[in-house]
Amino acid sequence: MKKLKIDLRTYTMIFALFTIWVVFAMLTNRALRLEYHWDLFAYLGDMFSTFGKHGFEQGMGGLFNDFIFLSPRNLSNLFVQMTVVGVLAVGMVLIIVSGNIDLSVGSVSAFIGGLVTVILYETSLPPFAAVLIGLAAGAGIGFIQGGITAYFRVPAFIVTLGGMMIFRGATMWILGGQDKQFMAGWVNRIGDGYLPDNLSLIILILGMAGCAYWPMRNRAARIRYGFSAPSSSATMLKGGLYAALVLLVVVLLYGYNGIPISVFILLALVMLVTFMANRTRFGRHIYAIGGNIEAAHLSGINVKWRLTQAFMLIGALSAMAGVILTSYVGSASQKAGGLKELDAIAACVIGGTSLMGGKGSIPGAILGALIMASLDNGLDLVSSPPATRYMIKGGVLIIAVLVDMLSQKDK
């Protein structure tokens, strides 16, 4: 029954994302051209004729170009815009699962972006070294905040709230009160570059193969350990649908410029941290701490060090998000990363991470980040006023928390 609830919530989120996309596609349709095509078959033939003229990738682009929201260019921008919140959400999942919170990630991202920019401007260090220093600084910030939280028992809410203000001020100080243009060769490509075609094809093949393979592997593992498992046909269908979804996304991206480098980085981090969370001792300990911290301590887990490690991880991921954001925008800004911590927390909660701790998944958080980015992007396209955007996003967050609390009561 528990498995059914988890799947039901996941499918509900997928349906919500699909609904958001359909609504914004209709709202951004180019003058609803269907009204002028009384012959539906002629209209569809018009769209599909682009396949023969421009090939499959451009054909898909032509198919969706009537709908601005679903156009390949906008979807590419949407995925790129999602990456910063997505990277932050990857780390935030483990922090929330452990029963804590980190309100400083947006300010840390801005600070590291400014730090890397200043290093590149004022020293002769190569870009690679500057980025490594930024990542190390982010991990160091996480070590300090996590250590204060774990070893001195100061609530993470207070520690990271203070950190949010400290690093916002530090960003202003390090940039000298003004924005600085981000010019660093290949580092700029992190935010606005695209993968080569050959590498993208390899990723597509591996992605589709993985989508087909992992459901079957998980089913075999459940059977081996005596747990109930879905039928082989249902598992194959699930894997096939996932593979088809990967193919559709890549084809749509190819209707513009291909797979963005920042999106590839996000996917790599998702796979890495998901492996850490599900397959390593560190991940199992974090979930155990969030489930019952006293039981975790009595079972021999070094709770304080594990919590410090979790904060170090989110510190390094915040630094990576800062590099991506600064590269994408093209300059280090004092206002960068504003409210990104709230977007990351919202993405986690929408994706099924419980604020009570002990439950959450990284893929779910990425789905939540995509929902939040879709709302932002769609509201931008329809020229929605800022007041409306804040109210809609706040309402979505409240509903997600309410669903989480109600699900806790049912147990």
Side-chain angles (χ1 to χ4, degrees):
M1 186 65 180
K2 185 177 179 182
K3 177 70 175 176
L4 179 60
K5 286 184 179 180
I6 294 175
D7 285 343
L8 181 60
R9 177 163 187 154
T10 301
Y11 295 138
T12 301
M13 291 301 100
I14 294 174
F15 177 75
L17 177 63
F18 176 77
T19 302
I20 290 170
W21 282 26
V22 169
V23 169
F24 283 125
M26 294 297 102
L27 292 177
T28 60
N29 190 354
R30 295 183 189 277
L32 292 176
R33 283 182 55 192
L34 186 58
E35 293 179 1
Y36 305 102
H37 289 263
W38 298 103
D39 187 343
L40 178 60
F41 292 103
Y43 176 72
L44 293 176
D46 236 5
M47 293 192 297
F48 279 101
S49 66
T50 56
F51 284 96
K53 294 178 181 178
H54 304 293
F56 189 65
E57 294 87 354
Q58 285 74 19
M60 286 298 292
L63 176 62
F64 288 103
N65 271 335
D66 280 347
F67 301 92
I68 299 175
F69 182 82
L70 294 180
S71 66
R73 178 174 183 173
N74 187 64
L75 289 180
S76 181
N77 291 334
L78 169 62
F79 285 122
V80 171
Q81 292 164 6
M82 180 197 73
T83 54
V84 173
V85 173
V87 171
L88 295 176
V90 167
M92 190 67 74
V93 167
L94 296 185
I95 295 296
I96 297 178
V97 162
S98 70
N100 293 282
I101 202 75
D102 191 339
L103 299 177
S104 68
V105 292
S107 297
V108 171
S109 298
F111 172 71
I112 298 300
L115 176 64
V116 172
T117 300
V118 169
I119 291 174
L120 292 171
Y121 261 91
E122 300 184 359
T123 72
S124 58
L125 288 175
F128 185 73
V131 172
L132 285 182
I133 291 173
L135 295 177
I141 291 170
F143 175 78
I144 294 172
Q145 294 191 141
I148 294 174
T149 299
Y151 288 92
F152 294 93
R153 298 185 179 181
V154 180
F157 180 89
I158 300 299
V159 174
T160 58
L161 179 61
M164 178 177 68
M165 293 184 283
I166 289 171
F167 293 109
R168 184 59 61 187
T171 304
M172 298 177 183
W173 172 73
I174 200 172
L175 292 177
Q178 60 184 0
D179 296 353
K180 291 190 177 182
Q181 191 173 5
F182 192 76
M183 297 291 289
W186 63 265
V187 182
N188 287 68
R189 301 289 294 166
I190 293 176
D192 61 7
Y194 297 84
L195 295 178
D197 290 346
N198 292 338
L199 181 57
S200 298
L201 180 59
I202 293 173
I203 292 172
L204 171 61
I205 294 173
L206 292 177
M208 293 181 64
C211 288
Y213 169 73
W214 282 106
M216 296 299 294
R217 183 182 183 277
N218 291 338
R219 177 178 180 275
R222 293 185 66 85
I223 293 175
R224 184 166 63 251
Y225 290 106
F227 294 108
S228 60
S231 65
S232 59
S233 58
T235 304
M236 292 175 63
L237 177 61
K238 182 179 180 180
L241 290 174
Y242 286 162
L245 180 61
V246 169
L247 176 63
L248 176 61
V249 170
V250 172
V251 166
L252 286 174
L253 291 177
Y254 258 86
Y256 185 51
N257 282 329
I259 301 176
I261 293 175
S262 57
V263 174
F264 172 71
I265 292 174
L266 173 60
L267 293 176
L269 290 173
V270 167
M271 290 187 290
L272 174 62
V273 181
T274 299
F275 175 82
M276 292 173 59
N278 297 336
R279 303 290 180 179
T280 67
R281 184 176 297 178
F282 164 75
R284 291 192 292 269
H285 287 180
I286 291 296
Y287 277 87
I289 291 169
N292 190 323
I293 190 170
E294 293 297 332
H297 178 74
L298 292 174
S299 65
I301 296 175
N302 189 339
V303 173
K304 295 178 180 179
W305 177 233
R306 288 305 189 198
L307 289 177
T308 304
Q309 288 178 312
F311 276 94
M312 290 174 66
L313 176 62
I314 196 173
L317 290 172
S318 299
M320 188 71 250
V323 173
I324 294 173
L325 177 60
T326 308
S327 174
Y328 176 69
V329 175
S331 63
S333 171
Q334 303 173 84
K335 298 180 180 180
L339 298 180
K340 293 297 183 184
E341 57 279 342
L342 300 184
D343 284 341
I345 293 170
C348 293
V349 175
I350 291 172
T353 302
S354 173
L355 290 174
M356 306 299 291
K359 186 183 77 172
S361 73
I362 286 139
I366 297 302
L367 178 59
L370 186 55
I371 289 175
M372 295 296 291
S374 298
L375 285 173
D376 273 334
N377 182 276
L379 291 171
D380 276 338
L381 290 177
V382 298
S383 301
S384 174
T388 303
R389 301 180 201 181
Y390 281 120
M391 289 189 289
I392 291 177
K393 291 172 65 177
V396 170
L397 176 59
I398 292 173
I399 292 172
V401 175
L402 179 62
V403 170
D404 175 53
M405 299 304 293
L406 292 176
S407 66
Q408 295 294 327
K409 286 183 178 181
D410 292 339
K411 293 183 179 180

